[in-house]
C-alpha cells in the first residue's frame, strides 16, 4: 500500500527553495487506484490521484514542482504505466513521461489556468496536464530560421516523393452522367476525381464534392423537386460548361473556380506544388506525367494534397525537430488559424458555426459562401457536437437519398446520420471525423494530426467544455510556414 505522507519530496528545512509551479497531471485511461510518482518525489513517494467529477475514468492531481526537467510515471492498479501520447524517454526507471518547466519569466501567458476543468478523453489528445511544457517565447529570427529550413526542404524534394508504393487513382470520363459520377465518388470513398476527355486525349479538370453541392443548389433554385431523371441527363461536361456562369453568381461571396486544370509534374518541387494548391485555392493537384514532348499519352500518377506534403515535412524533421524552433510553440502564440472573436473585440470577423437542427440547405450555403471545407456543429453553448464537411454531401448517394429529400427540409443532424453506416465507405466518420485540438497544443502536434489523410481542419476547443475557440486548417499552416 502506498502512502502520500507529509514528505512530498519538498524541502521542509526552512531554507528558501526554488519557486514551485502548480501542475495538473491527468491519467485519462481508467483504473481503480492511480498514483503519480517521479523525480519530483525522488521516486519514493506516490501521490494519490482522484477521479474527476463526471468522468470516473479520468484521474487527476495538482502538484507543485520546481522549474526544470522532470520524469514521471503512473502506478495504476499495481502496474507502472506511462502515457504513450505524451513525450517519453527510456531512463533509469524504464519508459517514463517527461516535462520541462521554464521559470515564470519564460512562460507564455494564457496557456495554463488552474481553475480550468479537466478534459474528457474523447477526440482531443489527453494531455496529462492542462498546459504544455513551458516554452520560451520564440523570436522573429527563430521563426525565419524555421521557415528557411522548411523552404529549403520543399525546394529540394519533388512531387515524385509523394507517390505511394501502391494504390489507385480514380478518373472519370467527362461524358458520364452526374448521377453516375455521384455514385462512383460515394462507392470509392473519395471526395474528388480528375476528369478525362477522350476527344482531347487529356485530363481537363476535376470533379469534387463542391460540384455536387453547387449542382444540388442550382437544381433547387429552379423551383422543381430534384429527380433522378434530371441527374441522369446532366453530364459532367454539361455541368462544367454551365458552371462558368456560376462564377458570376458567386464571385461576390466566394472564389471564382479555375477554368483550366491545375496540375503538376512528378519532378515539380514540393514547394511549387504547395504554392499551386494555395494560390488556386484547391484541395488537390493531379500529378501527371507525359512520355512525349507534345504531352500526349499523359499518365495520372497521384493526387497531391497539402496533407501529403505536410506528412513529408513531419517525416523529414521527425528526428531533428530541434532545428525547427517553432515546432514546440503552442498555436495560440503564433499567427495561425481563425479564432472566434471575443466579446467586444473590434473588427471581429464572423465565425461559421451551425446548430444541429439547422437545415442542410443552410449548411451547404455556408460551405460555399464562407469557402470552407467543413463547419462546426455546436450546441446552444457553442460546444462542439460534430462537423459537417463538403465530402459529406456524397452520403446522399446512399439509397438514392438525393432523389427523395429537399435540402431545406432535412436537418444537418439527419444528413449526418446518412453517413454513419459502418458498412459504407464512409463508416470511419464515426471515429475520425471530429478532429480537435487545444489552443495550448504545439505546432508539431497540430502538423502531425493534419498530416493524416482526409483531415483538412482541426477545431480548436476549450478543455473540458469543448466550446469552439477557433479552427486551424492545412492552408493556415502552410501560409504560416511559407511566410
Amino acid at each position: 500500500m502506498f502512502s502520500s505522507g507529509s514528505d512530498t519530496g519538498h524541502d521542509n528545512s526552512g531554507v528558501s527553495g526554488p519557486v514551485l509551479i502548480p501542475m495538473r497531471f491527468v491519467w485519462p485511461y481508467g483504473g481503480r487506484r492511480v498514483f503519480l510518482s517521479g523525480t519530483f518525489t525522488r521516486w519514493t513517494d506516490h501521490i494519490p490521484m482522484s477521479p474527476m467529477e463526471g468522468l470516473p475514468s479520468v484521474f487527476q492531481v495538482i502538484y507543485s514542482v520546481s522549474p526544470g526537467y522532470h520524469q514521471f510515471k503512473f502506478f495504476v492498479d499495481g502496474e507502472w504505466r506511462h502515457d504513450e501520447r505524451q513525450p517519453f524517454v527510456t531512463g533509469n526507471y524504464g519508459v517514463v513521461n517527461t516535462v520541462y518547466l521554464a521559470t515564470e519569466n519564460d512562460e507564455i501567458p494564457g496557456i495554463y489556468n488552474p481553475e480550468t476543468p479537466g478534459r474528457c478523453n474523447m477526440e482531443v489528445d489527453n494531455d496529462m496536464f492542462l498546459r504544455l511544457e513551458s516554452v520560451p517565447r520564440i523570436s522573429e529570427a527563430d521563426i525565419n530560421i524555421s521557415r528557411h529550413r522548411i523552404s529549403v526542404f520543399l525546394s529540394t524534394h519533388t512531387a515524385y516523393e509523394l507517390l505511394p508504393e501502391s494504390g489507385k487513382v480514380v478518373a472519370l470520363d467527362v461524358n458520364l452522367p452526374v448521377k453516375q459520377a455521384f455514385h462512383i465518388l460515394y462507392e470509392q470513398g473519395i471526395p474528388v476525381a480528375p476528369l478525362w476527355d477522350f476527344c482531347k486525349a487529356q485530363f481537363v479538370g476535376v470533379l469534387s464534392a463542391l460540384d455536387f453541392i453547387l449542382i444540388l443548389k442550382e437544381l433547387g433554385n429552379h423551383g422543381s423537386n430534384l429527380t433522378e431523371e434530371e441527374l441522369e441527363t446532366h453530364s459532367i461536361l454539361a455541368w462544367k460548361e454551365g458552371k462558368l456562369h456560376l462564377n458570376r453568381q458567386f464571385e461576390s461571396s466566394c472564389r471564382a473556380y479555375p477554368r483550366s486544370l491545375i496540375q503538376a509534374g512528378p519532378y515539380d518541387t514540393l514547394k511549387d506544388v504547395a504554392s499551386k494548391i494555395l494560390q488556386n485555392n484547391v484541395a488537390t493537384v493531379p500529378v501527371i506525367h507525359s512520355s512525349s514532348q507534345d504531352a500526349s499519352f499523359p499518365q495520372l500518377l497521384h493526387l497531391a494534397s497539402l496533407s501529403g506534403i505536410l506528412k513529408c515535412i513531419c517525416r523529414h524533421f521527425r528526428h531533428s525537430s530541434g532545428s525547427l524552433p517553432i515546432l514546440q510553440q503552442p498555436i495560440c502564440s503564433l499567427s495561425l488559424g481563425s479564432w472566434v472573436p471575443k466579446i467586444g473585440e473590434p473588427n471581429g470577423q464572423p465565425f461559421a458555426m451551425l446548430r444541429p437542427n439547422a437545415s442542410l440547405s443552410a449548411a451547404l450555403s455556408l460551405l460555399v459562401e464562407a469557402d470552407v471545407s467543413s463547419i462546426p456543429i455546436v450546441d446552444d453553448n457553442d460546444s462542439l457536437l460534430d462537423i459537417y464537411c463538403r465530402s459529406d454531401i456524397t452520403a446522399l448517394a446512399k439509397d438514392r437519398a438525393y432523389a427523395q429529400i429537399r435540402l431545406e427540409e432535412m436537418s444537418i443532424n439527419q444528413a449526418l446520420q446518412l453517413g454513419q453506416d459502418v458498412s459504407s465507405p464512409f463508416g470511419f466518420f464515426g471515429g475520425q471525423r471530429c478532429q480537435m485540438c487545444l489552443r495550448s497544443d504545439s505546432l508539431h502536434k497540430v502538423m502531425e494530426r493534419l498530416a493524416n489523410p482526409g483531415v483538412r481542419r482541426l477545431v480548436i476547443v476549450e478543455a473540458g467544455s469543448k466550446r469552439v475557440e477557433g479552427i486551424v486548417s492545412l492552408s493556415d499552416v502552410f501560409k504560416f510556414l511559407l511566410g
Side-chain angles (χ1 to χ4, degrees), residues 59-70:
F59 290 75
Q60 68 169 348
V61 67
I62 296 178
Y63 191 77
S64 296
V65 298
S66 61
Y69 178 80
H70 297 283

Side-chain angles (χ1 to χ4, degrees), residues 140-157:
E140 191 66 31
D142 281 339
I143 291 179
N144 291 332
I145 288 173
S146 298
R147 284 173 170 166
H148 175 71
R149 287 172 177 161
I150 290 174
S151 179
V152 169
F153 167 75
L154 294 176
S155 299
T156 53
H157 292 73

Side-chain angles (χ1 to χ4, degrees), residues 164-169:
E165 293 184 1
S166 63
K168 67 177 180 179
V169 181

Side-chain angles (χ1 to χ4, degrees), residues 85-145:
R85 296 191 180 185
Q86 300 304 320
F88 61 87
V89 297
T90 300
N92 295 333
Y93 295 89
V95 181
V96 297
N97 289 118
T98 63
V99 62
Y100 175 78
L101 295 179
T103 62
E104 288 190 12
N105 292 334
D106 292 334
E107 293 180 35
I108 297 173
I111 298 177
Y112 176 70
N113 177 2
E115 300 303 321
T116 303
R119 73 197 66 165
C120 69
N121 61 337
M122 297 295 286
E123 298 86 347
V124 184
D125 278 350
N126 299 294
D127 296 346
M128 65 212 51
F129 31 76
L130 296 186
R131 59 178 270 170
L132 281 180
E133 304 169 9
S134 296
V135 181
R137 286 187 178 278
I138 192 170
S139 66
E140 191 66 31
D142 281 339
I143 291 179
N144 291 332
I145 288 173

Side-chain angles (χ1 to χ4, degrees), residues 157-170:
H157 292 73
T158 67
Y160 191 83
E161 299 176 47
L162 298 174
L163 273 60
E165 293 184 1
S166 63
K168 67 177 180 179
V169 181
V170 177

Side-chain angles (χ1 to χ4, degrees), residues 346-396:
N347 303 320
Q349 296 296 317
F351 193 88
M353 294 188 288
L354 287 173
R355 302 285 188 263
N357 59 352
S359 70
L360 179 56
S361 177
L364 300 184
S365 295
L366 195 52
L367 284 170
V368 174
E369 293 166 6
D371 194 19
V372 293
S373 60
S374 61
I375 301 170
I377 309 303
V378 298
D379 62 16
D380 292 338
N381 297 317
D382 289 344
S383 294
L384 186 65
L385 299 173
D386 210 324
I387 59 171
Y388 191 83
C389 307
R390 285 182 190 172
S391 55
D392 287 332
I393 192 66
T394 57
L396 295 184

